[in-house]
Amino acid sequence: MKTPIRVAVTGAAGQIGYSLVFRIASGSMFGPDQPVILHVIEIEPAMASLGGVVMELQDCAFPLLKGVTQTSSLEAGFKDVDWALLVGSVPRKAGMERKDLLGINGKIFIGQGQAIAKHAAPGVRVLVVGNPCNTNCLIAMNNARPVLPERWFAMTMLDQNRAVAQLAAKSGADTTAITNLAVWGNHSSTMYPDFRNARIGGKPATEVIRDEAWFTETFLPTVQQRGTAIIKARGLSSAASAANAVVDTVRNLTTPTRPGIWFSVSVCSDGSYGIEKGLIFSFPVRSDGQKWQIVQGVALDEFSRSKIVASESELKEEKALVSELIPK
Ligand code: NAD
Ligand code: LMR
């Protein structure tokens, strides 16, 4: 039997956590022959509720679940973990932008970054989900300096999935026929879901859907504002689809990407496409199952570039807002 993978989930008693931990324990994230040990982390007031989640995990009798550590201690929570999924944080309410959460959530990621650096397994990989996830990831990464920048990710896969679903619905194609849909930039209303390079059944999406106005006036705002639409409808932010995107992100990073395609994840910019180095920015990425790389040479016309630069500017502003949380 394979050695179990240790996976930490912060905020495990929350809305996303309640969906996510069962997907991990069932084998959806790491495959049907990979055992896992879960480290579920909560703040003190949520420990009783977390106890209930752990009882339910036990009651599933998952064959792959080889242990659960349930804790409010960051030391025990991140001890020897291979993956840290940082979900725990406050979600926005109607009328807020995600960056309005920086003042509440940003500081959480200082202690979590430090604890990951100190206690996690040497090869730990970290995916930040808690909003605003790009800048929270920036804070955590910079407070965990020995953990290499290539091990930090923020989630834009939900935005990719939303964009794919919109293209499938408009074209009548199956979701599996939609490929090469990169989300560039920030997980915010400035994100750019790049329809110009997307493909439907191998053809450019713009040749299959010959309606430029639909792309710019309907598709873009629908994807950019989907989180807001869900909060309005549910009174709560997306949870099951967010957990699903966490599973997709980790699978995308840990399995080889099919030839010719890419997926979206926010990573530490190395200056590709002129994006400021060190920002956590969503790019088209490929993985060989171990290492990932930003896809180079994706054609960007003036329209696309202007959208990408606008999202970069927003991330620079967010970085300036949290400068006191980032060690010099
Ligand atoms: P929720 O309020 O239902 O759950 C959050 C949980 O985190 C709570 O149980 C809370 O006790 C816990 N928590 C708070 N501070 C913590 C800390 N310091 N350490 C550990 N746990 C802590 O919220 P949710 O719906 O699960 O959303 C969680 C976060 O994910 C929010 O910030 C939300 O905006 C974000 N989100 C991001 C995406 C994305 O695509 N990146 C998608 C959906 C939601
Ligand atoms: C989402 O995209 O659904 C999440 O980031 C939650 C939100 O605040 O929109």
Side-chain angles (χ1 to χ4, degrees):
M1 192 173 74
K2 290 183 176 173
T3 308
I5 292 179
R6 287 182 181 269
V7 188
V9 179
T10 66
Q15 289 273 320
I16 296 173
Y18 188 65
S19 186
L20 178 59
V21 293
F22 297 91
R23 299 283 306 276
I24 301 171
S26 72
S28 300
M29 186 172 274
F30 296 104
D33 62 348
Q34 176 59 62
V36 291
I37 296 175
L38 280 170
H39 291 220
V40 288
I41 306 173
E42 263 294 352
I43 48 174
E44 270 307 324
M47 287 308 282
S49 169
L50 184 64
V53 176
V54 172
M55 282 191 261
E56 286 205 67
L57 275 169
Q58 286 167 345
D59 295 349
C60 292
F62 285 120
L64 292 170
L65 185 59
K66 299 304 176 194
V68 181
T69 296
Q70 146 189 5
T71 184
S72 61
S73 144
L74 294 183
E75 176 172 353
F78 292 126
K79 181 87 186 127
D80 297 333
V81 298
D82 304 293
W83 275 93
L85 308 175
L86 306 186
V87 180
S89 52
V90 175
R92 67 175 165 151
K93 308 274 182 305
M96 293 170 82
E97 284 296 325
R98 296 180 186 93
K99 64 184 164 206
D100 297 336
L101 294 168
L102 265 182
I104 311 170
N105 287 340
K107 51 190 178 295
I108 295 174
F109 293 86
I110 300 175
Q112 293 190 353
Q114 291 167 344
I116 287 167
K118 209 160 164 195
H119 304 294
V124 66
R125 282 178 276 183
V126 186
L127 174 63
V128 180
V129 177
N131 277 323
C133 59
N134 295 62
T135 298
N136 288 338
C137 182
L138 182 84
I139 296 167
M141 179 182 79
N142 281 285
N143 282 281
R145 287 256 162 86
V147 184
L148 297 174
E150 69 221 35
R151 300 190 171 279
W152 296 86
F153 309 95
M155 192 166 90
T156 37
M157 191 62 203
L158 177 54
D159 309 304
Q160 175 180 318
N161 284 342
R162 288 167 171 168
V164 163
Q166 293 300 317
L167 292 186
K170 176 73 178 172
S171 64
D174 195 83
T175 51
T176 56
I178 320 289
T179 61
N180 301 67
L181 191 297
V183 172
W184 298 77
N186 196 4
H187 174 63
S188 78
S189 52
T190 67
M191 77 180 79
Y192 177 53
D194 180 3
F195 57 90
R196 298 253 155 116
N197 286 292
R199 299 194 154 253
I200 302 178
K203 294 194 189 125
T206 48
E207 279 178 22
V208 178
I209 303 168
R210 291 189 168 275
D211 187 348
E212 177 72 10
W214 178 81
F215 281 111
T216 55
E217 287 161 32
T218 302
F219 170 80
L220 278 186
T222 299
V223 177
Q224 290 169 330
Q225 296 295 336
R226 189 67 161 187
T228 303
I230 288 168
I231 291 170
K232 194 168 167 219
R234 254 172 53 88
L236 289 170
S237 62
S238 65
S241 57
N244 179 65
V246 177
V247 173
D248 285 349
T249 305
V250 175
R251 280 194 76 77
N252 284 338
L253 288 165
T254 53
T255 52
T257 312
R258 280 189 289 123
I261 67 162
W262 53 67
F263 61 91
S264 310
V265 64
S266 296
V267 297
C268 182
S269 170
D270 60 357
S272 291
Y273 296 94
I275 301 304
E276 179 175 296
K277 273 190 188 177
L279 288 180
I280 302 292
F281 196 89
S282 187
F283 289 102
V285 164
R286 290 180 50 77
S287 173
D288 65 8
Q290 304 285 333
K291 289 192 175 336
W292 57 265
Q293 56 187 31
I294 296 171
V295 178
Q296 302 297 326
V298 174
L300 297 173
D301 60 12
E302 214 172 298
F303 175 84
S304 301
R305 186 148 282 285
S306 70
K307 298 282 178 203
I308 290 169
V309 166
S311 204
E312 182 197 24
S313 300
E314 182 182 46
L315 280 168
K316 288 182 189 167
E317 282 163 27
E318 289 185 19
K319 182 181 172 186
L321 283 175
V322 299
S323 60
E324 77 284 6
L325 306 184
I326 296 178
K328 297 285 170 278

